[in-house]
Amino acid sequence: MARSSSPVKASLPKQRRLLRPRRSPKRTTALSLPGAEEFFAVAEHLVQQDAAAAPAPGYTTASDETLAVHAGEKLRKNGMADTDSIATPIVSGTTHWFKNSDDLIAFKEGRRHSFEYGRYGNPTVSVLEEKISALERAEATLVTSSGMNAIVATLLALVPPGGHVVTTTECYSEARIFIRERLSKMGIRSTFVDLNDIETLKAVLDQGDVTLFYTDSPTNPYLKCIDIKLVAKLCHLKGTLVCIDSTLASPINQKPLTLGADIVVHSATKYIAGHHDAIAGCISGSQELIKTIRAWHQDLCGAISPDAAYMIIRGLTTMALRVETQNRTSLRMARLLENHPKIEHVYYPGLKSSPWHHIAESQMTGFGGVVSFEVASDLQGVMRFIDALEIPFIATSLGGCESLVQQPAVMSFMPFWGQSDEEKAKNGIKDNLVRFSFGIEKFEDLRDDILQALEKM
C-alpha cells in the first residue's frame, strides 16, 4: 500500500460526553404536584443548555487513572453496544448479521458502526482498543495477538519494497533479527545506529530515502532512552515516519505520540495486561496509519481472542495504580543498590547518575518497574544470588504484579547461553548482569530479600 509522502501526525480524539442514564418520562408525568410538568420541562431545558455550554468530560480532560477505568466503556466512541453490565461483556461470536441489505450498505459506507467478521474486529476487542487510544492520546489503536505481531504488522504495512528502515542497535532483539534478516529478503534496506548517536542518524537521514525510524525507549535491558522529540523533528524534516516501542515505559509513564512520534507499539502482555496471563500487542497512531496497518494485520491473521481482550481490559483498569507502585519501588531500590558494596553498576533512568536521566525526566512521568544491575561476582556467583532470592520468580517478561528476575546471560530473548564471552560482549551482555522487574509487593519485603540474597552470594 502506498504511504503518504509526509508524516501523518496523531491528533487528540474529539471530546466525548459521559453516558448518562436516560430519564424516564413516567417519573415526571406520575407526579400530581401543580405545575410539575412545566417545572420538569424547564429543568430539562436548563440541563441541556448547561450541557451544551460546558466542556464535555472526555479523553482530553480525564486523568489516566479515570481513563484506564472508563474509556471505551462509560467514556466511549464506538465500543460495546449498550448494556446494563458494568463489566465489558465477552462477545464470542465470530460473525455478525445485518437486518437487511440497506443495513449492510450503511455499514460498508461507514454510516453505521457495527462488526462483520471476527478477524476484522470484535466488540470486546474494540473496547480495549478505545481504552488504549484514550491513554495514548491517539486517534486509533489496533490490538494484535502479540507484541511481535504488532511490530511485524507495522513494518510490513508502512515500509514498501525498496524502502529503508533505520533502527538502533539496542532495539528489541527479535525485532532486530526480523529487520536484518527478514525484511532484507523483501528488498527493504536497514541501517542500525547507536541509540545516542544523533550525528550518525542525521547523516543517514540526509540521504533522503529513509521510510521509517523504529526503536525502543527505554531499551531492554539497559534502560537507555532516546530523545523522542528531537528524533521526531529530525525524521519529519526528511519525510520519515517515527515508530517508538514504549513497552518498558507503559502508557502511564510515557506518551510518544504527544512527543511527535507517528506510531507507538507495546507488548500489551506486560504493563497493560499486568497479570502474566494474557499475550497481546497494540499499535496506536492516526486513523490513516492504523487503517493501513489494520489491512496488513488482517492478512497476517493476528487477531486477538475476545477472552484475552476481556482479561486485558480487566487488568488495564488497575494499570495506573500498579505502575505508580512499581515506579516508587524501582526508584527506591535503584538508589539502594547504587550504594551497595556488592553492586558494580545500576542501570535505571530515574537515577541522576544515569546518562539518560535528563532525557527520561523531560519525557516520562515515571521511570518504570525494571532495574538492571551488575553484581560484583562471576556467572556462578550471580546464579547463587538469584537462587537465594525468595520473593521473585526466575522468569522472563516484565510488568506484572509479581516480581521477576533473570540473568540475561542465561535467560534472554537472544540465545546467549553457551556463547563465548566475545559473542556476549558484542551484544552488550555480561555474565554478572541481572534484570529485575519489580511487581507490586511491599518495598520493604523486596529490599530485605535482595539484601539477604546478596549476603549469600
Side-chain angles (χ1 to χ4, degrees), residues 15-16 18 55-71 75 134-135 137 255:
Q15 291 182 331
R16 294 134 182 146
L18 281 166
Y59 293 174
T60 58
T61 58
S63 66
D64 283 346
E65 289 85 349
T66 299
L67 291 175
V69 176
H70 292 299
L75 289 168
L135 289 165
R137 309 301 192 264
K255 303 184 190 302

Side-chain angles (χ1 to χ4, degrees), residues 13-229:
K14 295 180 180 178
Q15 291 182 331
R16 294 134 182 146
R17 298 189 183 282
L18 281 166
L19 293 179
R20 297 181 175 88
R22 294 179 179 176
R23 293 178 175 82
S24 171
K26 294 181 181 179
R27 182 179 179 185
T28 59
T29 57
L31 293 174
S32 59
L33 293 174
E37 291 186 9
E38 291 81 4
F39 171 80
F40 281 108
V42 171
E44 181 69 19
H45 176 69
L46 291 174
V47 167
Q48 291 174 353
Q49 278 190 328
D50 290 342
Y59 293 174
T60 58
T61 58
S63 66
D64 283 346
E65 289 85 349
T66 299
L67 291 175
V69 176
H70 292 299
E73 296 169 289
K74 196 171 187 182
L75 289 168
R76 70 173 181 255
K77 179 178 65 176
N78 295 314
M80 184 69 65
D82 286 336
T83 72
D84 293 330
S85 173
I86 292 176
T88 296
I90 301 173
V91 179
S92 57
T94 59
T95 190
H96 301 260
W97 63 281
F98 298 89
K99 298 174 184 177
N100 50 49
S101 297
D102 288 340
D103 190 37
L104 172 59
I105 296 302
F107 166 72
K108 289 294 186 180
E109 292 180 349
R111 293 182 284 108
R112 176 180 180 271
H113 176 74
S114 186
F115 299 87
E116 183 177 6
Y117 185 63
R119 185 157 56 88
Y120 309 147
N122 171 274
T124 308
V125 176
S126 180
V127 169
L128 176 57
E129 290 176 339
E130 190 168 343
K131 197 177 286 286
I132 295 171
S133 289
L135 289 165
E136 289 289 4
R137 309 301 192 264
E139 288 183 352
T141 290
L142 169 64
V143 170
T144 67
S145 58
S146 70
M148 191 61 198
N149 184 275
I151 294 169
V152 169
T154 298
L155 291 169
L156 292 179
L158 300 184
V159 187
H164 183 185
V165 176
V166 173
T167 187
T168 63
T169 53
E170 296 91 345
C171 78
Y172 176 48
S173 58
E174 291 195 25
R176 188 163 64 239
I177 292 171
F178 181 81
I179 291 170
R180 184 179 61 238
E181 299 181 8
R182 309 286 191 270
L183 291 186
S184 62
K185 296 179 180 178
M186 304 175 193
I188 296 173
R189 293 186 297 121
S190 60
T191 300
F192 291 82
V193 300
D194 289 339
L195 189 85
N196 57 348
D197 191 350
I198 296 298
E199 294 305 314
T200 298
L201 175 60
K202 287 180 181 177
V204 175
L205 290 171
D206 283 342
Q207 298 173 13
D209 64 348
V210 179
T211 312
L212 178 74
F213 173 84
Y214 161 82
T215 192
D216 301 33
S217 187
T219 63
N220 180 25
Y222 289 108
L223 293 308
K224 297 180 181 180
C225 299
I226 196 166
D227 189 331
I228 299 174
K229 279 187 178 180

Side-chain angles (χ1 to χ4, degrees), residues 105-418:
I105 296 302
F107 166 72
K108 289 294 186 180
E109 292 180 349
R111 293 182 284 108
R112 176 180 180 271
H113 176 74
S114 186
F115 299 87
E116 183 177 6
Y117 185 63
R119 185 157 56 88
Y120 309 147
N122 171 274
T124 308
V125 176
S126 180
V127 169
L128 176 57
E129 290 176 339
E130 190 168 343
K131 197 177 286 286
I132 295 171
S133 289
L135 289 165
E136 289 289 4
R137 309 301 192 264
E139 288 183 352
T141 290
L142 169 64
V143 170
T144 67
S145 58
S146 70
M148 191 61 198
N149 184 275
I151 294 169
V152 169
T154 298
L155 291 169
L156 292 179
L158 300 184
V159 187
H164 183 185
V165 176
V166 173
T167 187
T168 63
T169 53
E170 296 91 345
C171 78
Y172 176 48
S173 58
E174 291 195 25
R176 188 163 64 239
I177 292 171
F178 181 81
I179 291 170
R180 184 179 61 238
E181 299 181 8
R182 309 286 191 270
L183 291 186
S184 62
K185 296 179 180 178
M186 304 175 193
I188 296 173
R189 293 186 297 121
S190 60
T191 300
F192 291 82
V193 300
D194 289 339
L195 189 85
N196 57 348
D197 191 350
I198 296 298
E199 294 305 314
T200 298
L201 175 60
K202 287 180 181 177
V204 175
L205 290 171
D206 283 342
Q207 298 173 13
D209 64 348
V210 179
T211 312
L212 178 74
F213 173 84
Y214 161 82
T215 192
D216 301 33
S217 187
T219 63
N220 180 25
Y222 289 108
L223 293 308
K224 297 180 181 180
C225 299
I226 196 166
D227 189 331
I228 299 174
K229 279 187 178 180
L230 175 60
V231 167
K233 180 179 179 181
L234 294 174
C235 288
H236 290 167
L237 286 172
K238 301 296 181 179
T240 299
L241 292 171
V242 175
C243 177
I244 301 295
D245 186 327
S246 194
T247 297
L248 268 73
S250 86
I252 301 300
N253 286 332
Q254 180 174 271
K255 303 184 190 302
L257 299 180
T258 68
L259 298 167
D262 302 289
I263 290 288
V264 56
V265 299
H266 287 270
S267 170
T269 309
K270 312 302 192 293
Y271 290 105
I272 292 176
H275 290 76
H276 304 306
D277 59 4
I279 294 179
C282 59
I283 313 161
S284 300
S286 68
Q287 290 279 6
E288 181 181 344
L289 289 177
I290 298 302
K291 182 179 180 181
T292 300
I293 298 170
R294 190 179 289 275
W296 276 85
H297 163 259
Q298 291 171 1
D299 291 340
L300 293 170
C301 305
I304 185 175
S305 75
D307 297 85
Y310 170 83
M311 293 292 288
I312 298 169
I313 290 169
R314 187 173 184 176
L316 194 153
T317 56
T318 60
M319 179 170 61
L321 304 177
R322 290 185 281 103
V323 169
E324 287 164 8
T325 297
Q326 291 162 318
N327 288 342
R328 288 195 301 270
T329 295
S330 297
L331 181 57
R332 294 177 70 184
M333 199 68 73
R335 288 170 175 168
L336 182 151
L337 292 171
E338 191 175 36
N339 294 301
H340 196 284
K342 292 190 177 182
I343 301 299
E344 292 182 347
H345 193 85
V346 179
Y347 300 92
Y348 189 68
L351 294 174
K352 292 183 179 180
S353 59
S354 169
W356 300 278
H357 177 70
H358 66 290
I359 295 175
E361 195 173 38
S362 70
Q363 63 190 29
M364 300 177 72
T365 56
F367 305 108
V370 175
V371 178
S372 296
F373 51 93
E374 293 168 0
V375 181
S377 187
D378 57 10
L379 181 71
Q380 298 300 322
V382 177
M383 287 182 179
R384 288 193 294 273
F385 161 68
I386 289 177
D387 289 345
L389 291 167
E390 297 178 358
I391 294 177
F393 292 96
I394 301 174
T396 189
S397 197
L398 55 99
C401 294
E402 301 85 0
S403 290
L404 307 179
V405 66
Q406 67 164 280
Q407 192 173 0
V410 180
M411 174 188 286
S412 181
F413 294 113
M414 293 286 284
F416 294 124
W417 177 250

